[in-house]
Amino acid sequence: MPDSGPGGALPDLPQAKPVAGSRWRMQIVWLVPIVALLIGGWLAVKAVLEEGPTVTISFRSGDGLEAGKTKIKYKDVDIGIVKSVTLSRDHKRVIATGELVKDAADMLVDNTRFWVVRPRISGGTVSGLGTLLSGSYVGMDEGNSKKARHDFVGLEVPPVFPSDIPGREFVLRSADMGSIDVGSPVFFRRLQVGQISSYELDPSGKGVTMHVFVNAPYDRYVRNDTRFWHASGLDVSLSSDGVQINTQSFVSMLIGGIAFETPDSDRNTPEAIENTRFDLYETHTEAMKQHDRIVDTYIVTFYDSVRGLTVGAPVDFRGVEIGEVTRIFTRFDPVKRQFSIPVEINLYPERFTSRYQNGPQRPGRIASSPHELADFLVASGFRFQLRSGNPLTGQLYVAFDIFPDSPKTKIDWTKSPPELPTAPRTLQSLQDSLTRLLAKLNGIPFDQLGAQAQQTLQNTNDVIKKLGTDVVPEAQGTLSSARSALESANSALQPDTQLQQNTSDAMRELARTAASVRNLTDYLERHPEAVVRGKPGDKP
């Protein structure tokens, strides 16, 4: 509006110019929510960046699991927590979802293991006693695989040892578990060097496979020819050698265990690699038996009692065990109508060869043609015979020895397995001799001999009676005459009788005559010329 001049007129004023305002002008009041939004976003991004991995673990039951409370630990350090516990879709298992710290992401690999730690007694060991007050938790053992994984099947039994302990694991195959369990000790020279880590039934159901872990440095004593056996309780064996009792330790007597040893002849064999498979034997004796590459099976038939002979009894050749009994049967021969006891044996030809000679070549057969050698031995009188190994236990064994007087026989190689000849036992031979003697005695006509003996006795009685009636009186007269003659001779030989005096005089004369003859003989020896000339001084 213009300014008014004098007389009421207004003065001129400058015209206002419109100015366009900014459309994006922010009020100060909006600064607070913006800052809060930025902080929240930053916290969200940080939470996402620091969030650890999520893992799902399947368990058979939810015992000891509680969402929001059950912790996940590794080496007794908290690395996560169980967020939820739900059932699987088939309602057969429990699915635990856990959240781990970010640093544990690289620990979730293919062979990582999870299990619930709770109070447990297994294999003679007690674990998880601390959870009685603190509650159960999920234990974790880091694997060494390169493949990542986030879903796992939890172990029902805690692992015996962590995966980072030095040593090696081996696989054992046995017919049954015996008295051992997970955590049972493994002994070497009665020193505990490992434990049973796990076991499972074979798919065929005919055996059990066990995994044993041997701690370093003892694992270097497990070689390719090492023998494992049950060391549980007392190993009492009754054989032809008597009663033997073996045990490893008092602990093994209570909770069982496994022991291993390498034979002296095989200690130079290489060390066994990881997961090498071995057979688990029942006893130390069975484990340390010589393992032969060549096995020949034969049948030996006995006709006397085999009581005391058991499967596993040795076949002995002059004190050296060359085989063992594998099976015992009975057989009836319808032609001869006779029972027999066929015994199946395994012979090990390598044991006939020399082992004291040094050399890289292992022993084999002692002949290129086994049949020719067997025929030669049988023709030479070699036979199999039952013998008593221990009179106290009554155990028998099969002996292989030479019997020169055995009847000639041959081996029928068309049979499978072939049958080798036998010789009866010593007692059986004596019994057979007595039987033959009794048969001969039974063939003697004792009735006829008795009648003849009775007739002879009757004749003898008649002779005695005749002697009493005829001969005796005459003999009495003869005896009386002889007595009279003796009395006359006795009276004639008295010292003061004429006969004695005449005899004395005659003896003196004979003595003087003998002296004269002696003197004459001496003189003639000195003077033989006296026979012609006479004594000196005598007249011619």
Side-chain angles (χ1 to χ4, degrees):
M1 175 179 280
D3 296 340
S4 58
L10 295 173
D12 293 337
L13 297 175
Q15 294 293 326
K17 296 180 179 180
V19 177
S22 177
R23 297 178 58 184
W24 300 103
R25 179 174 294 179
M26 182 182 298
Q27 301 293 332
I28 297 177
V29 68
W30 291 104
L31 184 60
V32 174
I34 291 175
V35 171
L37 181 61
L38 292 175
I39 294 175
W42 176 78
L43 291 176
V45 172
K46 181 180 179 181
V48 172
L49 293 176
E50 293 182 353
E51 182 181 7
T54 300
V55 61
T56 58
I57 311 170
S58 172
F59 293 101
R60 185 176 297 175
S61 68
D63 184 20
L65 300 176
E66 190 174 355
K69 293 185 178 181
T70 302
K71 298 180 179 181
I72 301 175
K73 295 185 178 182
Y74 174 70
K75 294 184 181 292
D76 288 336
V77 177
D78 295 344
I79 61 172
I81 190 169
V82 175
K83 290 294 186 178
S84 64
V85 179
T86 59
L87 289 175
S88 62
R89 292 184 178 181
D90 58 1
H91 302 167
K92 293 182 178 180
R93 299 186 67 85
V94 174
I95 307 298
T97 303
E99 184 178 333
L100 305 182
V101 297
K102 182 180 179 180
D103 295 337
D106 58 347
M107 301 173 64
L108 298 178
V109 294
D110 191 57
N111 56 349
T112 296
R113 299 178 292 184
F114 293 90
W115 67 94
V116 178
V117 179
R118 59 174 71 94
R120 188 186 305 271
I121 299 177
S122 176
T125 59
V126 180
S127 61
L129 291 181
T131 60
L132 292 174
L133 300 177
S134 62
S136 300
Y137 63 89
V138 177
M140 173 182 170
D141 180 48
E142 181 184 6
N144 55 7
S145 175
K146 301 299 182 181
K147 182 181 179 181
R149 183 178 178 180
H150 290 271
D151 56 324
F152 298 88
V153 177
L155 303 177
E156 300 301 327
V157 179
V160 178
F161 53 91
S163 58
D164 57 352
I165 291 182
R168 277 178 285 183
E169 192 174 50
F170 304 99
V171 181
L172 303 183
R173 174 84 169 54
S174 177
D176 54 64
M177 284 291 296
S179 59
I180 60 178
D181 197 357
V182 173
S184 296
V186 177
F187 297 96
F188 176 69
R189 299 192 181 279
R190 290 185 171 86
L191 177 67
Q192 184 173 348
V193 298
Q195 289 177 312
I196 304 295
S197 58
S198 64
Y199 64 87
E200 59 184 1
L201 185 67
D202 292 345
S204 62
K206 296 182 179 180
V208 179
T209 299
M210 288 168 279
H211 296 264
V212 299
F213 185 82
V214 181
N215 301 323
Y218 308 106
D219 57 338
R220 62 191 178 95
Y221 297 111
V222 181
R223 302 185 176 274
N224 290 334
D225 200 29
T226 295
R227 318 291 174 81
F228 290 81
W229 70 90
H230 283 279
S232 307
L234 290 175
D235 179 13
V236 181
S237 60
L238 179 64
S239 65
S240 59
D241 296 328
V243 180
Q244 297 180 352
I245 301 177
N246 296 313
T247 185
Q248 286 295 320
S249 66
F250 184 74
V251 175
S252 66
M253 294 174 60
L254 296 178
I255 64 174
I258 290 175
F260 70 88
E261 183 181 348
T262 303
D264 294 337
S265 58
D266 298 322
R267 289 187 178 179
N268 295 326
T269 56
E271 295 182 14
I273 62 175
E274 185 90 8
N275 294 323
T276 301
R277 301 181 68 89
F278 296 93
D279 290 328
L280 180 61
Y281 298 94
E282 290 294 330
T283 63
H284 174 265
T285 302
E286 183 180 354
M288 298 308 293
K289 282 184 177 179
Q290 181 177 326
H291 293 178
D292 301 272
R293 299 175 302 163
I294 306 175
V295 180
D296 294 336
T297 302
Y298 297 97
I299 291 291
V300 290
T301 302
F302 300 102
Y303 295 91
D304 47 344
S305 176
V306 295
R307 178 179 293 275
L309 184 68
T310 59
V311 173
V315 178
D316 180 276
F317 173 66
R318 298 180 179 178
V320 178
E321 186 174 336
I322 60 171
E324 63 180 344
V325 175
T326 56
R327 289 190 290 179
I328 302 175
F329 308 94
T330 58
R331 180 172 60 191
F332 177 73
D333 189 346
V335 178
K336 298 181 180 179
R337 295 187 176 273
Q338 185 181 25
F339 282 98
S340 59
I341 310 295
V343 176
E344 183 180 289
I345 61 174
N346 283 344
L347 295 183
Y348 308 114
E350 292 175 296
R351 303 189 183 183
F352 283 98
T353 58
S354 176
R355 287 185 176 269
Y356 68 85
Q357 296 179 353
N358 297 325
Q361 186 177 4
R362 295 189 60 180
R365 296 183 182 274
I366 59 178
S368 57
S369 178
H371 291 186
E372 292 182 3
L373 176 62
D375 290 335
F376 169 75
L377 293 176
V378 170
S380 300
F382 277 89
R383 299 290 186 271
F384 290 88
Q385 184 187 52
L386 285 176
R387 291 181 182 176
S388 176
N390 193 316
L392 297 179
T393 61
Q395 297 293 311
L396 299 178
Y397 69 94
V398 179
F400 181 61
D401 209 338
I402 186 170
F403 298 86
D405 299 332
S406 299
K408 300 296 182 180
T409 184
K410 292 184 179 180
I411 303 175
D412 186 1
W413 296 106
T414 60
K415 295 182 178 179
S416 180
E419 185 171 339
L420 300 179
T422 61
R425 298 176 60 184
T426 304
L427 293 177
Q428 182 67 27
S429 301
L430 178 59
Q431 182 178 353
D432 295 340
S433 300
L434 293 176
T435 301
R436 291 192 295 269
L437 178 59
L438 291 176
K440 292 180 180 180
L441 292 176
N442 290 332
I444 297 177
F446 287 103
D447 295 339
Q448 183 178 356
L449 292 178
Q452 294 177 358
Q454 185 175 3
Q455 182 64 35
T456 302
L457 291 175
Q458 183 64 36
N459 296 334
T460 303
N461 290 332
D462 295 339
V463 171
I464 292 175
K465 291 180 180 179
K466 186 174 182 180
L467 290 175
T469 56
D470 299 338
V471 178
V472 172
E474 296 181 359
Q476 289 179 351
T478 303
L479 291 176
S480 299
S481 301
R483 186 181 299 109
S484 300
L486 290 175
E487 289 177 354
S488 300
N490 187 25
S491 60
L493 295 175
Q494 294 297 324
D496 54 350
T497 58
Q498 185 66 34
L499 180 60
Q500 284 288 345
Q501 294 177 0
N502 294 337
T503 303
S504 298
D505 294 341
M507 294 298 292
R508 284 193 293 269
E509 291 296 332
L510 288 175
R512 286 195 294 268
T513 304
S516 300
V517 173
R518 189 183 305 111
N519 292 332
L520 178 60
T521 303
D522 293 339
Y523 180 78
L524 291 176
E525 288 179 356
R526 293 191 303 271
H527 305 282
E529 71 279 3
V531 178
V532 179
R533 298 178 180 180
K535 289 183 179 182
D538 293 344
K539 293 181 179 181

